Structures are given as structure tokens and as C-alpha cells.
Amino acid sequence: MTDTPPKPGKVRVPAEDLRTFAAELLEKGGLSPEHARTTADVFVWASLRGVDSHGVGRVTAYLELLAKGVANARPRIRVESSTPATAVLDADRAPGPVALTMAAEEAVRRARETGIASVGVRQTVHTGAIGYYVSKIAEQGLVGLGFVAGMPNMGYTGVKGAAVATSPLAIAVPARDHAPLLLDMATATIALGKIRQARASGTPLPEGAAATEDGTPTTDPEKAVMPLPLGGAKGSGMSLAFEMLTSVLVGAPIFSAFHSDDPKGRKHRQNALLIALAPAAFGDPGTFTADADATLGTLKGLPVADGADGVYYPGERSAGVAGQRAAQGVPVAPKVWRELTESAARFGITPPETTPDV
């Protein structure tokens, strides 16, 4: 009798090596060196923080988007502006990390002069982890807000079938001594990736989290095809509002086009809005960061509920995970690593050295 070989486990890869590796793959996929590095940085940022659904596992999906022409490898990005505090970035179907990183930089630059700046992004492809872009704004000492609208893939209260998108919201607030507050959430009860994971493992879904194609709630991952909105009418209403704030505002409606008779309306695309607020425009920035620290410290000092392991503010635990993974390496799931190394072999790239994730 032959012993069955053990299944490969997770591996750990130094963050910088993983970033370089991902950038090399994306460059081979058609992106310019600069755009490849930018996109890889967004993926590794998410992997470092434990947001694996938006981490390096997305590299092979982006290679497919580029190969099919869904994402434009050589976009002609234009910035249109009519006032000092606002701009619209026409992404020309550039990958989201490319377009939104540029939009975040533009928002910061303008907000330093005007106190507040808004940059809309139209016609991009998959924005990635939106928390990355508002965090980049917070790293500059400003408050960052971000909204995204995408293709309808989620139920809407009272509607049969998919109606709106699982559109996310992110807010980053810098502090003096604490890690920034980072709220990064979708308007769905559960992510599509979680449904796929549950289907693969045969694990039942939580009640009220997902639905069948016609909108009937189900806990069976084999029957679930779409998430349900967070808080029912609250989540679906937020998604529709984000469509107004992004797509409609920049003259690139997604919702109405998707539900029209025009087949072009179902072509994959996303829009976004990034806002930067300069604390200096509202008062003393030093006082602001001190008060932000005091607020977070006050929360941390509240009595811990029975059974809880502590009191945490949004983004605190993921920042701690990022610190650990930066020091110990980023864990990569077997399936993801296999896909990455297969792509590397196709492109003639040597993968970085790994260690077992024990």
C-alpha cells in the first residue's frame, strides 16, 4: 500500500519578496513597471493585514482580466477639473489600484491647498481593497473617505434577484500614537468570496447572509449565488446612495445601464469617490491628532465585556496582524501559491524562497 503524500500547506513569503514577485507577474501580464508595482503594493498591503480575499490571490485574476482585455494594460488616464477642490479621473479601464492610487494622491494634493478635496474615478476595473487608498491619505496626516460602486451582484429589499452592488465604504483617521482608525466595510452581510469558501468546505452560511438566484434567503452554499445587504434596507440603501455619489455624480451610471436593455450596460466596470480632509483647515492639526488619540484611548479603557478578549477600534487588529506578518512573512494559501507559481513558470519567472507556515 502506497502512502498518500501529504497535502501542501500554507507557505510564508517575506513581504518585500512577495511584492516584487507579484509585480513581476503583473508586468509580464502587460502592465508598465510602475503600474505593476502599484498594483502589487495594494495586494500585499491587504495580505499583510489578513484581508486575503483582496490579497495576492487576486494576482492571477488580474492576469486574466488583462489577458481578456477587460482591464486596460496601457490606459490613457485623464484628470478633468473645473474647481480647485474637485476632479474627475477618467481611468480608461485601468486596474483599480492604478486609478485609485492616483486619485488618492490627487485628493491629498488638492486638500492641502483647499482644506477638502474630492476626486471621482470613472471607468476603472476592480478597485481592490479600498481601505488601502484612504490609509494612504491618512499617512499624509489627512482624513480619508472612500466610496465605490460596481456591478449589481447583491439583493435589494423588495426586489427579486440581484439589484445593487456590494459597494464598500472606507474611512481612515490618523492619530498621534495609535494606529489610524480604519473602517473598511461592504454594504453586504457577507462577501462573495466567503460564499465560495463555504461552498468549497461544505460549511453552512449564516442565516440571512446569502440568497439564491431569485433572491430567496438560504444557508446552503451550493444554492447561494449572491449576498444579502447588511441590515436589510440599510445596506441596500447605502449601496444605492454610493451609486449616486460615484457613478451618477461623474456621469458614468452603472445601475441604470446594467438594468437596461443595452448589453453594453453589463460590461464590467467600477467607479469610486475619494475625499481628503485636512485637519489644519478645521483647527490645530496637533490638537486633532491628540484628541483622536484620546478618543481611541478612552474606548480602549472601557470595561471589557464577559467573554471578550479586549476592546478594539476599527483597523486596530488588522494593523497588529500587519506588524506580525511584516516580521514573520506573509502566509499564502496552497491554492493561491500553486496558481502564482504556475503563472511564474509560464512567464519564466523564478518564485521567491518560502518557508512552511507552521
Side-chain angles (χ1 to χ4, degrees):
M1 180 177 177
T2 304
D3 291 336
T4 301
K7 292 184 177 180
K10 284 185 177 181
V11 297
R12 282 189 179 264
V13 188
E16 193 54 44
D17 292 349
L18 189 59
R19 186 178 290 106
T20 299
F21 181 41
E24 288 176 338
L25 288 170
L26 291 163
E27 187 175 347
K28 288 291 187 179
L31 293 180
S32 69
E34 180 185 1
H35 288 177
R37 286 193 300 271
T38 296
T39 304
D41 194 55
V42 175
F43 293 154
V44 174
W45 179 90
S47 289
L48 278 167
R49 297 180 74 94
V51 188
D52 295 320
S53 61
H54 287 67
V56 293
R58 291 282 182 173
V59 171
T60 51
Y62 270 52
L63 291 175
E64 185 175 350
L65 290 174
L66 291 164
K68 291 182 176 180
V70 176
N72 188 353
R74 290 290 188 269
R76 300 179 65 180
I77 301 174
R78 305 190 313 275
V79 176
E80 305 167 1
S81 178
S82 58
T83 72
T86 59
V88 175
L89 189 152
D90 190 309
D92 190 27
R93 294 183 297 108
V98 174
L100 269 73
T101 295
M102 185 179 296
E105 293 170 351
E106 186 73 17
V108 168
R109 183 183 68 78
R110 291 172 180 263
R112 291 201 187 283
E113 299 176 0
T114 61
I116 178 172
S118 303
V119 179
V121 178
R122 64 175 172 234
Q123 304 290 350
T124 188
V125 179
H126 192 268
T127 55
I130 189 174
Y132 173 90
Y133 314 108
V134 294
S135 292
K136 284 297 181 182
I137 293 173
E139 285 177 7
Q140 299 299 313
L142 283 70
V143 175
L145 295 85
F147 310 90
V148 169
M151 306 301 289
N153 58 358
M154 180 177 78
Y156 186 95
T157 304
V159 174
K160 184 178 181 179
V164 292
T166 56
S167 302
L169 155 73
I171 302 172
V173 182
R176 186 180 58 192
D177 300 322
H178 289 80
L181 178 146
L182 175 58
L183 175 68
D184 187 349
M185 55 171 280
T187 50
T189 300
I190 191 172
L192 280 167
K194 294 293 185 181
I195 295 177
R196 289 192 289 268
Q197 289 175 3
R199 189 177 299 135
S201 63
T203 306
L205 295 163
E207 291 280 352
T212 61
E213 188 173 0
D214 67 358
T216 303
T218 182
T219 60
D220 186 345
E222 292 296 334
K223 297 179 179 179
V225 298
M226 66 178 178
L228 290 171
L230 181 67
K234 294 180 180 179
S236 56
M238 288 173 65
S239 176
L240 188 62
F242 296 168
E243 165 74 5
M244 295 289 194
L245 289 174
T246 60
S247 309
V248 175
L249 189 65
V250 300
I254 293 177
F255 175 82
S256 58
F258 181 89
H259 292 291
S260 73
D261 294 330
D262 186 352
K264 293 180 181 178
R266 292 179 175 255
K267 184 176 181 180
H268 177 77
R269 63 204 182 279
Q270 293 186 347
N271 301 317
L273 178 70
L274 294 181
I275 301 172
L277 301 169
F282 297 84
D284 178 25
T287 300
F288 170 79
T289 53
D291 287 346
D293 261 345
T295 299
L296 298 177
T298 299
L299 176 73
K300 297 288 293 176
L302 294 178
V304 179
D306 293 342
D309 64 351
V311 178
Y312 302 95
Y313 60 86
E316 180 183 5
R317 280 184 282 199
S318 59
V321 170
Q324 294 173 354
R325 291 186 171 188
Q328 301 170 5
V330 179
V332 181
K335 180 176 182 292
V336 171
W337 189 244
R338 182 177 68 253
E339 291 174 345
L340 292 174
T341 53
E342 287 174 353
S343 296
R346 190 168 73 251
F347 291 134
I349 296 172
T350 302
E353 295 291 329
T354 67
T355 55
D357 181 35
V358 294

